[in-house]
Amino acid sequence: MNDATGPSSALGGAYDVALLDLDGVVYIGGAAIPGAPEALQKAKRSGMRLAYVTNNASRTPAAVAALLSGMNVPAEPADVVTSAHAAARLLADKLPRGARVLVIGAMALRLAVRERGLVPVSTAADQPLAVVQGYGPGIGYPTLAEGGLAVRAGALFVGTNADSTLPGPRGIQPGNGSLLQVIITATGTQPVVAGKPEPPLHAEAVERTGARHPLVVGDRLDTDIAGAVRAGADSMLVLTGVSSARDAVLAPPGQRPTYLAADLAGLLEPQPVIGPPGGNGAAEAGLAAGEAAPHGPVPAVFLCGGWQARRPGGAGPFELTGSGAWIDGLRALCAAAWSAGRLTADVAAPAIDALGQPG
């Protein structure tokens, strides 16, 4: 986390486009997350452009925009970028125009492949030059078997995304990454992945939106935030989906967000300064991002709002004391934990429990 916007300004004033994930950020299982539509409406009215960037390749942009509009979320088809788009561009860059591609997934993926001048097919007998697999609730064994046969015959293997799970109304469900394992196990071939955290989807989103200074917003450290880190973009983790407060505290360096927020209201709120007592703003920003101190040891105490996070003596469990908004407590704890290097869950557990939030 850092102080890129200063202690009194909201994020909309510092970033031209919010690249928002969908599942676990805007909605779960087709139902809007409470407060998300209102937050996005306000963010747009304040001048922040909104784009919806999802690893889910099962819906067309028009279908996604219609779904969002039905939830009172401001969206047009041109605002939606999916991993199907990124995978189709990746294929088009590697294959000659008119090449046959065996498509495993929903109609949205077939359409994206066709839009790039490639020919979708359904069987290995069609001798495809590539196999592309994306999430689709109707995927069955016969289709996966055809994909496996084609990959064994030498076809390029592309996955729209490798999310192992997908948030749903009844809980966490298997995602496309889990389905990819069928062909991986059967062939011993790893796919080229287009979706987050790999670069193609982020690059596609930036190109389509013309973003100059985007803010990536997501609920998963291993895809949304890791993808932003790899792309050199700032990010905000919201705690409405897969990754939890505990996950944030224990996040490795390549998965640490610039900002933390309970939900999308974080787009509208001033971002607090996080740092050691009496530190100056520049030092607080670097230290809160988990960077090494330029001179001397990393401070043992981090403050945010009415909370203080510390590790007495630089060893043993972390302590979190204070009061106020629990998200400020988590911000202070993350800053302290990230400055300390690698942690085990038991070292952070007492401080996480002090937040009084689900782990």
Side-chain angles (χ1 to χ4, degrees):
M1 294 172 288
N2 66 31
D3 188 32
T5 63
S8 62
S9 60
L11 297 179
Y15 301 92
D16 60 343
V17 182
L19 301 179
L20 298 132
D21 185 50
L22 288 174
D23 292 306
V25 175
V26 179
Y27 58 66
I28 293 179
I33 291 171
E38 294 81 6
L40 293 173
Q41 291 167 12
K42 291 178 182 177
K44 185 171 184 178
R45 286 198 298 269
S46 72
M48 191 175 210
R49 292 169 52 208
L50 307 177
Y52 304 95
V53 184
T54 175
N55 265 359
N56 191 326
S58 66
R59 294 190 180 103
T60 64
V64 172
L67 176 66
L68 293 172
S69 295
M71 301 174 185
N72 293 320
V73 172
E76 300 291 338
D79 301 328
V80 180
V81 187
T82 77
S83 61
H85 290 134
R89 178 184 287 268
L90 190 156
L91 288 164
D93 287 345
K94 294 178 177 293
L95 303 175
R97 187 172 182 83
R100 290 187 289 270
V101 177
L102 196 160
V103 178
I104 302 173
M107 182 57 67
L109 181 55
R110 299 182 75 88
L111 292 173
V113 168
R114 189 176 296 279
E115 287 170 1
R116 287 291 176 183
L118 304 171
V119 179
V121 299
S122 301
T123 71
D126 290 314
Q127 298 183 319
L129 293 184
V131 173
V132 62
Q133 181 175 336
Y135 173 77
I139 292 176
Y141 177 80
T143 307
L144 291 168
E146 292 296 327
L149 289 168
V151 171
R152 275 193 174 276
L156 171 68
F157 186 23
V158 172
T160 60
N161 65 296
D163 299 48
S164 59
T165 60
L166 183 70
R170 295 190 296 162
I172 304 299
Q173 303 169 179
N176 193 55
S178 296
L179 298 175
L180 286 172
Q181 291 300 321
V182 175
I183 293 179
I184 292 171
T185 301
T187 65
T189 300
Q190 293 289 333
V192 179
V193 177
K196 299 175 279 188
E198 303 303 328
L201 180 53
H202 182 83
E204 184 81 2
V206 169
E207 180 173 327
R208 285 175 177 255
T209 61
R212 294 182 178 274
H213 191 32
L215 176 70
V216 174
V217 183
D219 70 306
R220 296 185 65 122
L221 293 167
D222 60 344
T223 56
D224 304 311
I225 306 308
V229 172
R230 292 187 190 186
D234 286 351
S235 63
M236 183 175 79
L237 177 72
V238 293
L239 300 171
T240 48
V242 172
S243 294
S244 65
R246 178 190 182 91
D247 296 329
V249 174
L250 299 175
Q255 298 181 16
R256 292 172 182 170
T258 315
Y259 310 102
L260 283 168
D263 52 36
L264 286 177
L267 291 173
L268 311 170
E269 300 165 351
Q271 294 298 309
V273 169
I274 307 161
N280 63 62
E284 290 162 4
L287 294 169
E291 301 168 358
H295 302 289
V298 173
V301 179
F302 283 82
L303 307 178
C304 183
W307 295 87
Q308 173 180 283
R310 61 190 294 266
R311 195 177 191 188
F318 279 84
E319 293 180 355
L320 182 67
T321 57
S323 61
W326 69 268
I327 192 67
D328 284 341
L330 180 60
R331 289 163 174 152
L333 179 56
C334 283
W338 297 349
S339 72
R342 299 187 62 179
L343 296 176
T344 57
D346 59 317
V347 169
I352 294 171
D353 292 342
L355 287 171
Q357 295 294 315

